[in-house]
Amino acid sequence: MAIRMIRKGTDEALREKASQVKEITPKIIEILEDMAETMYSEEGIGLAANQIGIPKSLVVVDLQEGELLELINPEIVQAEGKEVEVEGCLSFPGILGEVPRATRVVVEAINREGEKVKFEAQGLLARVLQHEIDHLEGKLLVDRAVRFLEKEEN
Ligand code: ZN
């Protein structure tokens, strides 16, 4: 495993649309493991492959509860409610914005065994999943934020 460089700010990799993963190869597993290691090293709670310069549909999430979610080709198939909360992003250090997100989502994805998984998420997990799946579309916190926090509010 290796810690990868996180792409930041105006890096074009962040605007690239991720392509679907067609086959789960050892390379894909290695990327997922590197993503987790990179996320943990930065004390993040989610990371999309675009953020390490790989435009593939891969996301890792861990709300610092030790339960790592590895999602291949994740998709939001249902979304409900709306809530505005403060969000940050490892690609935009020091920036915090208020972002409206659905309060409840249903996500479909593939796990590393190639099995289809479908689950419901609420609250912070729902927010992180929407944020990371946005990354796969080249959409960023800075596009979604309705207001940015001033330094003294951080
Ligand atoms: Zn992010």
Side-chain angles (χ1 to χ4, degrees):
M1 296 215 287
I3 292 172
R4 308 277 189 123
M5 188 187 80
I6 294 184
R7 306 302 183 93
K8 293 191 174 125
T10 56
D11 192 309
E12 280 174 18
L14 296 174
R15 291 297 182 184
E16 242 177 293
K17 276 199 178 196
S19 59
Q20 295 278 297
V21 173
K22 295 202 171 67
E23 198 191 343
I24 302 165
T25 59
K27 183 79 202 161
I28 294 292
I29 301 295
E30 187 190 325
I31 296 168
L32 282 169
E33 289 179 352
D34 285 357
M35 286 170 65
E37 195 175 350
T38 306
M39 171 180 76
Y40 289 129
S41 78
E42 296 288 328
E43 290 175 7
I45 54 175
L47 193 73
N50 315 42
Q51 290 181 276
I52 56 165
I54 298 172
K56 289 191 188 301
S57 188
L58 299 167
V59 160
V60 293
V61 173
D62 187 338
L63 302 183
Q64 296 183 329
E65 290 166 344
E67 200 193 321
L68 175 65
L69 274 178
E70 295 174 326
L71 304 174
I72 300 166
N73 301 340
E75 222 180 303
I76 292 168
V77 294
Q78 240 186 75
E80 253 177 41
K82 193 180 153 187
E83 190 173 54
V84 179
E85 290 283 355
V86 175
E87 251 176 57
C89 178
L90 291 176
S91 294
F92 294 90
I95 291 180
L96 291 173
E98 290 179 344
V99 182
R101 299 280 187 193
T103 51
R104 177 188 162 273
V105 293
V106 176
V107 172
E108 265 183 25
I110 296 170
N111 66 18
R112 64 152 76 195
E113 279 80 40
E115 300 156 345
K116 198 169 167 182
V117 292
K118 187 175 180 179
F119 59 95
E120 186 188 311
Q122 299 188 32
L124 181 60
L125 182 58
R127 174 165 296 272
V128 175
L129 288 165
Q130 289 169 86
H131 177 114
E132 301 311 332
I133 292 169
D134 260 5
H135 271 300
L136 301 176
E137 293 289 317
K139 272 216 157 47
L140 302 169
L141 159 77
V142 289
D143 308 324
R144 296 275 194 203
V146 290
R147 189 177 81 88
F148 292 100
L149 271 67
E150 305 293 338
K151 274 215 160 51
E152 55 270 22
E153 293 178 271
N154 290 359

